[in-house]
Every structure is written in C-alpha cells, then in structure tokens.
Amino acid sequence: DSGVTQTPKHLITATGQRVTLRCSPRSGDLSVYWYQQSLDQGLQFLIQYYNGEERAKGNILERFSAQQFPDLHSELNLSSLELGDSALYFCASSADWPSYNEQFFGPGTRLTVL
Amino acid sequence: GENVEQHPSTLSVQEGDSAVIKCTYSDSASNYFPWYKQELGKRPQLIIDIRSNVGEKKDQRIAVTLNKTAKHFSLHITETQPEDSAVYFCAAPPGGATNKLIFGTGTLLAVQP
C-alpha cells in the first residue's frame, strides 16, 4: 500500500457524460500528479498540483480539469466523455517540490466509456 | 523538448539470465532518473532511481547506470526470476520549475521458467 488512495476503483459511464475522480495523497505530500494509461500505452502525464496551485501541465484535453483542495486531496474532472477516454487514471503524490522525490502511485481508477 | 525513448518494447529471457533495458532522454537539464515496475493490473512502483551526480547504483539484483554525456540510462536485472515479469518504465523530469516525470513507453519483460 503506497498511502495514496483513489476513488472510485471502477467507473462505467456513457459518452457525453461527466465524471469526477478523487485522489488523496500520502500524509505530508504536497504534490499531486495525474496520469492517464490507455490500453497497451505508457503513462501520459496530465497535470501536477503543488499545495493547491497548478504547477505543470501535460497533454491534458480542454475537456479535462483538475484542482487540489486545502486538505490536499485532488479531483480530476472529465467532461463530454468520448470512447477514447476509456483508460486507467492514476494519481501519484510526492514530497516537497523542488527536490525530485519518489512519486507514490495510487491504485488507479479504471474508466470505461460506453 | 520533453522526450524519453525506451528500448526494447518487449524482452523475453530465460530464468537466471540478465535483462537490460535502455532509455534515452532529450533534456540535458534532467537530473533524476527513476525506474518503475508495473505488474499486470497493479500500480507502478519505484524499484530504483539515480541522480545525476553518480554513474551507477545497485540494489541487490537491480542496477541502474547513467551516462549524462550521451543522455542515456539503463536498467540491469541479473539472475532474473519469474516474479520479475512485468512492465518496466523509465522516466526523467524535464528541466524547469517542476518535478513532473516524462515516462518512456515501457518494456514488457517476460522471464521464462
């Protein structure tokens, strides 16, 4: 167990819908990262938050947004869902920026868009 | 640019043999190079990492080497065991004010008993 929690574990929804994925980082970690892993694909970086502020963006679609709350949990919002959004979404957390530290991954949320 | 290339994409070895996976990065400002192991259906987990001030790091059967001049780093697994079968990802951070990681495309390692 990495100490990073994600809910829900599985999510099945229809095209055009909106979903919210939730992540709680390890105790004390200020940075949260979101990754997308499609079938047979690698880990695509979406976005990073540090202590409530957006720190870095990857190839995140405009239909996707995220935020980090004062208690440091983070939510990834996916809207106008398409079939191609079906993937495993991981959240990871790490200790203080700017030193490079191990990123601890959560168990992931498997999103299926029908 | 932000790019990490990883080879090979698949690797099959006999139990007891060694396995080597290589990665090349593009940003000369990168100074941290982790390797993650992802078993089927599981989360990626860090197995070893190296920082740019050293050229090699070992942890039991696993080692990582770094060549900053050539901008590549490699994972070496000796005496492979069936439980080493997994997908392995290398990663590197781009330069700048972030410690996000750019991951390689992964290597599926199969250790045949």
Side-chain angles (χ1 to χ4, degrees), chain A residues 23 28 33 39-40 43 47 49 52 59 66 80 88 92 95:
Chain A
C23 168
Y33 311 81
L39 191 63
D40 297 330
L43 291 157
I47 198 164
Y49 276 82
N59 295 324
S80 303
L88 193 52

Coordinates of all heavy atoms in Angstrom, one line a residue, chain A residues 23 28 33 39-40 43 47 49 52 59 66 80 88 92 95:
Chain A
C23 N -8.6 11.8 -5.5 CA -7.3 11.3 -5.0 C -6.9 11.9 -3.7 O -7.0 13.1 -3.6 CB -6.2 11.6 -6.1 SG -4.5 11.3 -5.5
G28 N 1.4 14.3 4.3 CA 2.5 15.2 4.2 C 3.0 15.6 2.8 O 3.8 16.5 2.6
Y33 N 0.0 14.4 -8.8 CA 0.1 14.3 -10.2 C -1.0 13.4 -10.7 O -1.4 12.4 -10.1 CB 1.5 13.6 -10.6 CG 2.7 14.2 -10.0 CD1 3.0 13.8 -8.7 CD2 3.5 15.1 -10.6 CE1 4.1 14.4 -8.0 CE2 4.6 15.6 -10.0 CZ 4.9 15.3 -8.7 OH 6.0 15.8 -8.1
L39 N -5.0 1.4 -22.9 CA -4.6 0.0 -23.1 C -3.3 -0.1 -23.9 O -3.2 0.6 -24.9 CB -5.8 -0.7 -23.8 CG -5.7 -2.2 -23.9 CD1 -5.8 -2.8 -22.5 CD2 -6.8 -2.7 -24.8
D40 N -2.4 -0.8 -23.4 CA -1.1 -1.0 -24.1 C -0.3 0.3 -24.3 O 0.5 0.3 -25.1 CB -1.3 -1.7 -25.4 CG -1.9 -3.1 -25.3 OD1 -1.6 -3.7 -24.3 OD2 -2.6 -3.5 -26.2
L43 N 2.5 5.8 -19.5 CA 1.9 6.7 -18.6 C 2.0 8.1 -19.2 O 3.1 8.7 -19.3 CB 2.6 6.6 -17.3 CG 2.4 5.3 -16.5 CD1 3.6 5.0 -15.6 CD2 1.1 5.3 -15.8
I47 N -1.4 16.4 -15.4 CA -1.3 17.7 -14.7 C -0.7 17.5 -13.3 O -0.8 16.4 -12.8 CB -2.7 18.4 -14.6 CG1 -2.6 19.9 -14.3 CG2 -3.6 17.6 -13.6 CD1 -3.8 20.6 -14.5
Y49 N -0.3 19.4 -9.4 CA -0.6 20.4 -8.4 C 0.3 20.4 -7.3 O 0.8 19.3 -6.8 CB -2.1 20.3 -7.9 CG -3.1 20.9 -8.8 CD1 -3.5 20.2 -9.9 CD2 -3.5 22.2 -8.6 CE1 -4.4 20.8 -10.8 CE2 -4.4 22.8 -9.5 CZ -4.9 22.0 -10.6 OH -5.8 22.6 -11.5
G52 N -2.0 23.2 -3.7 CA -3.2 23.9 -4.1 C -3.1 24.6 -5.4 O -4.1 25.1 -5.9
N59 N -0.3 16.9 -21.7 CA -1.2 16.9 -22.8 C -2.6 16.7 -22.3 O -3.3 15.8 -22.8 CB -0.8 15.9 -23.8 CG 0.5 16.1 -24.5 OD1 0.9 17.3 -24.7 ND2 1.3 15.1 -24.7
A66 N -8.7 19.8 -13.3 CA -8.4 19.3 -12.0 C -8.2 20.4 -11.0 O -8.2 21.6 -11.4 CB -7.1 18.5 -12.1
S80 N -17.8 15.7 -21.2 CA -18.1 15.4 -22.6 C -17.3 14.1 -23.0 O -16.6 14.1 -24.0 CB -17.8 16.6 -23.5 OG -18.4 17.7 -23.1
L88 N -7.0 3.8 -17.7 CA -6.8 3.8 -16.3 C -6.1 5.1 -15.9 O -5.2 5.6 -16.5 CB -5.8 2.6 -16.0 CG -5.5 2.1 -14.6 CD1 -6.8 1.8 -13.9 CD2 -4.6 0.9 -14.7
A92 N -0.7 10.2 -8.4 CA 0.6 10.0 -7.6 C 0.8 11.2 -6.7 O 0.4 12.3 -7.0 CB 1.7 9.7 -8.5
A95 N 6.8 14.2 -2.1 CA 7.1 15.2 -1.1 C 7.5 16.5 -1.7 O 7.3 16.7 -2.9 CB 8.3 14.7 -0.2

